[in-house]
Every structure is written in structure tokens, then in C-alpha cells.
Amino acid sequence: MNIRVLGIELRRSVAPWAGPVVLTPALAFLYLIPGSWWSGTTAWTAQWTSMALWTRSVLFYLWPLAVGLGALQGLRDQRSKMSELLTTTSRPARHRAAMLAGATGITLASAFALLVLVGGVQVLANTEYMHLGWLPISLVGAFSLVAGAVLGMGAGRALPSVLTPPALAMGAFVFTALMYMSLGRTETTTAAGAPVTEPNRVSLLSPTVEDAREAFVTLSASVHVGQTIWLLGMAATGFALLVAATPRARLLALTPVLAGAVIALLILPSDPRRIYVVDKAAAEQVCDGPVCVTKTQRARLADVAGPGKEALRLLHGALGSQAPVSVRENTAILPEGSTPRWSRKTVLFDFDDDIIAAAAKGKELTWALIAKGMVPGCTPTGWSSFGPDEFAQTVAIGWVLGDLKPLPGTLSAGLRREIDAETRPVWKELKALPRAEQLSRINAMRAAALSCKGDTFDALKGGASR
């Protein structure tokens, strides 16, 4: 590729504008619009994989922009009325197409790389866990912008109309929306009978990805391979349309994108559990005695170790041989809407759980871990609720500590009053019972809580499980 000609293309085409048009909305979205990408263990500046996934998720909006900008670039010769003149030159059409595509592709890839760099600099300051597993996610994201722009250029050259760029951009946006909301989702039913939707292999034809769910969850290798093949077909079709001079050649130019789609769908995983998988290295446990966290959160082990050991000591004093013997960060990845699974001998916790996140460290973290050890919570994965489990956790903490304590995370005065009104009479009644009866109710509560069958708060009142 002639560097001087490429420089001219960069100065005299829409290519220099493509980078800022993509980069500015992405940064504005991530910095100015509040969302789950701002906080928790999966914030876009908290971990490398989370950063890669969040920057890929904004392609929902950026990829249609890239396609539209490419189409605008493809109209240049038609707008300048130079098409016939250029066909008489001795220079092959593929050389001119390569310069045109290269200029826009370089600026778009550079803009996405700068977005990743902005996030990466902040990730460096926020985590001790370094790895390169995130790199394929970002490389495919950058390539998707380039492939989309080249496809847009080819379509703009093949359909030279002022309506082509906005029509293509809108069509690309509709495509990503359908992949995210309907065509790319498969409806299933949980064991509890609740309808949920999960991504399928068709959704992976979209350049965007699902929101980051856990810091140790990543895309599988087959997803990277399948998406790369699909994007290569897309770019090849765009380039072929740029150099095609006859209707027959333009029709044949569609072959790569169709072949790429077919091959990609054969490679992309059909099982949602093979799309987003656990990064085993990131989920590896780092321990201080009986208290363990994942490698992604090892910087927080010092804050968890003391409260975790104290929680185990208090639980053992209250429950005896029935008490948990370890505290571990939960690494189980379950489909959305599914019932959680808990262990009787291990206190499983998630740093993004409301009461754990609110407790931070110290004695409140000890209370929160006691609550998770007694009543882990049976809200379906990905859902939120408030009710019997939280009331039971409050009474359970009070029973272990000998005094009713506010549940960490209940900062609202109104919420605290509601919890106190529900739990104090039950706690007083429980403390007034003989020790054997207290243990009987506590064991009934834990049985309901650990199996997610029955009402934990009703068990504390002495009622039958549902």
C-alpha cells in the first residue's frame, strides 16, 4: 500500500471523521450515562475481561455508524462525477479500493483501540490480576467496525444514492436490535416455571455482546473463531463490491458473506452455556486459611479474611457441628432465572450481592457473611426481590450475635423500620423459646434456605414449609 496515497486518502476523505464519530459517542455513553458498567466487580474499568465486554457492548450503536460512514465513503466517486474517469486509468480498481478501505479501516480500528486504551489504563490501577484472555474480545470488536465499514463502502458503490448511507445505518441498527431482542434470543422455562430468554448462535452474528455478568466469565474460543470467519466474509463482500464493474460481478460478490455466515453458524456454539464460559484461571481460588476469593479479586482477600474467619467462629458457636467450615467466593454460573444452589458446609458469597457490597469490610462484613451462611437467598439468578429471605437473614444474624442488628445494605430509614417491624416480634419469640426449640426452628429455616424449598421466615415462626 503506497503510504503517500494513503495519506492523501486520510486527508481528503471522510476517514478522519470516522474515528471521532465512533470514539466520542462511546466515551460519552460509558462516562455520562449511569449504568451497571459504573460499579461492582464488572465495572468497565474494574477487570480486563469486563472492560473488553463492555466496550464490545457499545457496538450496538457504533457498528451501524461505521456501516453508514462506510457507505458515505463509497459514494465519493459518484458524488464527484469521477467514476468514468477512474475506469480509464491504468491503475487496477483493487488498488484504489484498498486505499479507500484502508484509510477508513485504520481510523476506525484506531478509535476503538483508543477506547480500549482509556479503559485499560484505569483497569491497571484497579486490579492486580493481569492476563491476555480479554484481547481476542477486543480484536474481534475492532475488526467488526472495519468489516462493517468496508461492507458499507461496497454497498454505497453498488447502490449510488444519497439514501444509501442512512438506509444502511438504519438497517444495521435494526439488525443488531433484532439479534439482541428477538431473533437472537431463545425462550426457555426455568424449573420454577418462569419464562426467560437466552442468547443463541444467531445472536453471535451481531458484533455486540451481552453485558458483563461476572468478572471471571468470558466468551469461548469457538465464538471468536466463528465471528472472525463471519466478519472476514463480510469484509470480502464489501471489497468485492468496491471493485465490481458489472451486475453479474456484484451478484457474485455476495458469495463471501453468505458463505461466511453459513460456516460461522456451523462453528458457533448452539448451547448458551458454551457461549459464555468460566475463565478457569480467573476463577481459581486464592485462600487465607478457610477464606477464599477468586484470582480476579485477590486484592480484596485481606479485607475478607478477618471477617470471614470471625463469621465462621460465630457460626460454629451457634450451630456446632452443623456450622459451615469455609467461606468462598461463588463461581457457579447459572442461566438467568434459575434457582441458586447452595452448600451446607461452605458460605458462598458474591462481591456484587447487595448486603456484601454494602458491608465493605469490618464487623458489618462479618454480619453479612453470617447472613449468607444462614440464609443464602433464593432469588432466581439475575432477578431481584425483597421479602422473607431478608427478614429471615435479619433474625438469623440477631440469633447468632445475641442482639438484633440491621441488615447491611438497608440504608433507607423506611426500609429499616419495615424490617424491624417484621423481624423484632419474631426474634423476641425465638429468644424466649428453650434452646432446643430455637435450634429446631433455625435448622428448619436453614433447610428451607439451602434447598430453596419453603418459606424461610415462616420456618422461624414455627410454621410449615410451603
Side-chain angles (χ1 to χ4, degrees):
M1 183 178 289
N2 190 303
I3 301 300
R4 184 177 65 83
V5 177
L6 181 62
I8 294 173
E9 286 286 355
L10 287 170
R11 291 196 303 272
R12 297 183 179 180
S13 67
V14 300
W17 296 99
V21 166
V22 166
L23 180 62
T24 304
L27 290 174
F29 180 87
L30 291 170
Y31 276 111
L32 302 180
I33 301 177
S36 53
W37 50 89
W38 273 16
S39 60
T41 59
T42 57
W44 83 286
T45 56
Q47 297 289 340
W48 290 104
T49 301
S50 301
M51 180 272 294
L53 289 173
W54 280 120
T55 50
R56 276 285 296 274
S57 71
V58 297
L59 293 180
F60 186 94
Y61 310 100
L62 300 185
W63 188 72
L65 277 176
V67 174
L69 286 169
L72 185 63
Q73 181 80 308
L75 290 177
R76 186 184 63 177
D77 293 348
Q78 180 70 20
R79 293 198 313 270
S80 59
K81 297 180 172 49
M82 292 178 57
S83 300
E84 293 184 3
L85 175 62
L86 291 174
T87 57
T88 64
T89 62
S90 58
R91 192 176 186 189
R94 63 178 181 276
H95 288 183
R96 296 194 303 272
M99 291 298 173
L100 186 66
T104 303
I106 288 171
T107 55
L108 286 173
S110 299
F112 192 79
L114 186 56
L115 175 65
V116 171
L117 179 63
V118 170
V121 169
Q122 296 172 84
V123 172
L124 276 173
N126 292 331
T127 184
E128 296 180 359
Y129 178 59
M130 306 296 294
H131 66 106
L132 295 177
W134 61 274
L135 197 54
I137 302 173
S138 294
L139 289 175
V140 172
F143 187 34
S144 70
L145 288 175
V146 175
V150 174
L151 181 65
M153 289 178 205
R157 179 69 60 84
L159 302 170
S161 167
V162 293
L163 298 178
T164 299
L168 280 178
M170 182 56 67
F173 180 75
V174 170
F175 173 77
T176 57
L178 289 175
M179 291 299 101
Y180 189 79
M181 294 186 296
S182 57
L183 293 181
R185 310 289 295 186
T186 300
E187 185 170 316
T188 58
T189 303
T190 66
V196 295
T197 62
E198 295 178 311
N200 56 36
R201 71 173 70 183
V202 177
S203 70
L204 299 174
L205 296 180
S206 170
T208 190
V209 296
E210 295 279 297
D211 299 344
R213 297 174 56 190
E214 300 285 353
F216 44 81
V217 171
T218 188
L219 290 169
S220 64
S222 57
V223 172
H224 301 318
V225 173
Q227 290 183 330
T228 300
I229 290 173
W230 158 240
L231 293 172
L232 282 170
M234 186 186 299
T237 286
F239 190 81
L241 287 172
L242 272 176
V243 301
T246 64
R248 184 172 181 272
R250 295 188 184 102
L251 189 61
L252 289 174
L254 299 177
T255 303
V257 71
L258 295 176
V262 171
I263 296 172
L265 288 174
L266 292 175
I267 295 174
L268 293 170
S270 58
D271 186 348
R273 290 171 295 184
R274 292 175 53 232
I275 296 176
Y276 294 91
V277 297
V278 173
D279 182 340
K280 294 182 180 178
E284 184 181 334
Q285 298 285 319
V286 180
C287 302
D288 181 347
V291 180
C292 302
V293 299
T294 61
K295 190 177 287 186
T296 60
Q297 303 300 328
R298 62 186 173 192
R300 304 175 71 172
L301 179 59
D303 293 333
V304 178
K309 293 173 184 177
E310 178 65 8
L312 291 176
R313 185 187 68 80
L314 292 169
L315 286 168
H316 184 268
L319 298 172
S321 61
Q322 297 299 312
V325 295
S326 63
V327 174
R328 293 179 181 271
E329 184 180 353
N330 194 2
T331 57
I333 303 302
L334 301 175
E336 184 176 356
S338 60
T339 302
R341 300 169 186 169
W342 304 116
S343 167
R344 182 173 292 275
K345 289 299 183 181
T346 302
V347 178
L348 297 173
F349 73 95
D350 188 326
F351 281 108
D352 289 331
D353 186 279
D354 289 342
I355 64 172
I356 299 294
K361 55 185 177 180
K363 64 179 182 180
E364 285 203 345
L365 182 53
T366 299
W367 300 349
L369 291 172
I370 290 172
K372 298 301 290 183
M374 297 291 279
V375 185
C378 290
T379 301
T381 303
W383 297 9
S384 61
S385 66
F386 184 85
D389 281 349
E390 286 71 25
F391 298 151
Q393 284 176 337
T394 303
V395 175
I397 294 173
W399 183 79
V400 172
L401 299 177
D403 187 19
L404 201 62
K405 302 289 186 181
L407 191 67
T410 53
L411 301 179
S412 164
L415 189 57
R416 287 197 177 194
R417 284 195 298 270
E418 179 185 349
I419 293 175
D420 190 72
E422 289 284 346
T423 59
R424 190 165 293 277
V426 177
W427 180 73
K428 288 181 177 179
E429 179 187 347
L430 181 66
K431 293 295 290 183
L433 295 172
R435 179 68 180 177
E437 180 61 25
Q438 291 181 34
L439 278 173
S440 176
R441 292 195 182 188
I442 289 294
N443 287 332
M445 176 202 72
R446 289 194 74 212
L450 294 171
S451 65
C452 289
K453 295 178 181 178
D455 189 314
T456 53
F457 196 48
D458 190 45
L460 279 176
K461 297 177 183 178
S465 296
R466 290 184 297 184

